[in-house]
Amino acid sequence: MRNEPFCEKDRPPQLLTLFGSPHEEGSCGQLLAAFRGGLPGGWRETVVSAYPLQPVPCDDCGYCHRADGCSKPDLREVYAALEEADALAVVTPVYNRSFPAPLKAVLDRTQRYWAARFLRGVRPPISRAKQVVLLTASGSPDEGDARLLEQQLLPALTIWNARLLAAVHYTGSDSGEELTPFLDAARAAASRLKD
């Protein structure tokens, strides 16, 4: 038998999970567990948990305007995982109608891809297309707060070569609203991912 070079078809599909909650076992953790339970077989997951990571915020230093990459080294592995991902799961609580600060810092630091596309003419700045599922948990009973996160995420998706496949917004966590239907929706969203 001859040695065959690595083939793309032999590569397992890659999932990058951006986890924005400080509580692994809370509502977001439960949504993520349900999502994982619905994944088709064979996916390989990389998890970036924003709170322990504590990423340095973007300070618009201009490095990415002139060169590929970022002047700050703390997210190198995150960038590599983002570029290789076939799918993303963004799992986050809603804080003041936005992402929690550590996750927002990760998202803001993808400015380097915006600079690649719009300042240096790299199109697309990330070559591998990806599907995205957004899972949120909000204390408010109003889904409008979570929908604002969708609106904030959409511009980033255009530079990540990504499209939003599904969003599940658990609302009313402060009043103890039933989580089960949202867990079912998270499982269903995962089952829609194509490898």
Side-chain angles (χ1 to χ4, degrees):
M1 180 153 113
R2 201 175 66 144
N3 272 342
E4 293 291 330
F6 174 79
C7 294
E8 186 72 13
K9 67 178 182 170
D10 297 331
R11 174 188 173 275
Q14 310 290 308
L15 169 67
L16 172 60
T17 297
L18 299 177
F19 190 75
S21 175
H23 307 291
E24 290 182 17
E25 305 299 322
S27 301
C28 288
Q30 293 175 60
L31 287 168
L32 178 56
F35 176 81
R36 286 175 174 147
L39 279 173
W43 283 81
R44 189 174 141 241
E45 182 184 22
T46 300
V47 178
V48 172
S49 190
Y51 271 87
L53 182 62
Q54 289 296 304
V56 175
C58 179
D59 59 6
D60 193 28
C61 69
Y63 179 89
C64 63
H65 296 187
R66 302 176 303 278
D68 185 31
C70 179
S71 67
K72 295 155 189 58
D74 59 329
L75 296 185
R76 282 189 184 137
E77 286 138 11
V78 176
Y79 295 141
L82 177 62
E83 291 171 18
E84 287 300 311
D86 300 293
L88 298 173
V90 180
V91 186
T92 184
V94 178
Y95 283 7
N96 295 308
R97 296 183 159 188
S98 189
F99 296 94
L103 182 56
K104 181 71 165 67
V106 172
L107 300 176
D108 287 349
R109 291 276 301 283
T110 65
Q111 175 75 5
R112 64 169 281 199
Y113 299 109
W114 179 91
R117 179 176 176 184
F118 293 106
L119 300 179
R120 298 195 331 272
V122 179
R123 292 177 184 262
I126 296 177
S127 60
R128 187 176 298 281
K130 48 196 95 283
Q131 307 159 88
V132 179
V133 174
L134 174 63
L135 306 174
T136 68
S138 174
S140 168
D142 180 6
E143 193 176 279
D145 291 350
R147 294 254 181 234
L148 287 174
L149 272 68
E150 278 185 57
Q151 293 174 12
Q152 292 173 47
L153 189 60
L154 288 175
L157 299 186
T158 65
I159 60 168
W160 298 350
N161 196 4
R163 66 178 178 83
L164 188 62
L165 179 69
V168 177
H169 302 302
Y170 170 50
T171 57
S173 65
D174 286 351
S175 60
E177 288 298 315
E178 176 61 38
L179 183 56
T180 303
F182 300 95
L183 299 177
D184 294 341
R187 262 188 295 281
S191 71
R192 293 176 55 199
L193 290 177
K194 307 282 189 258
D195 56 4

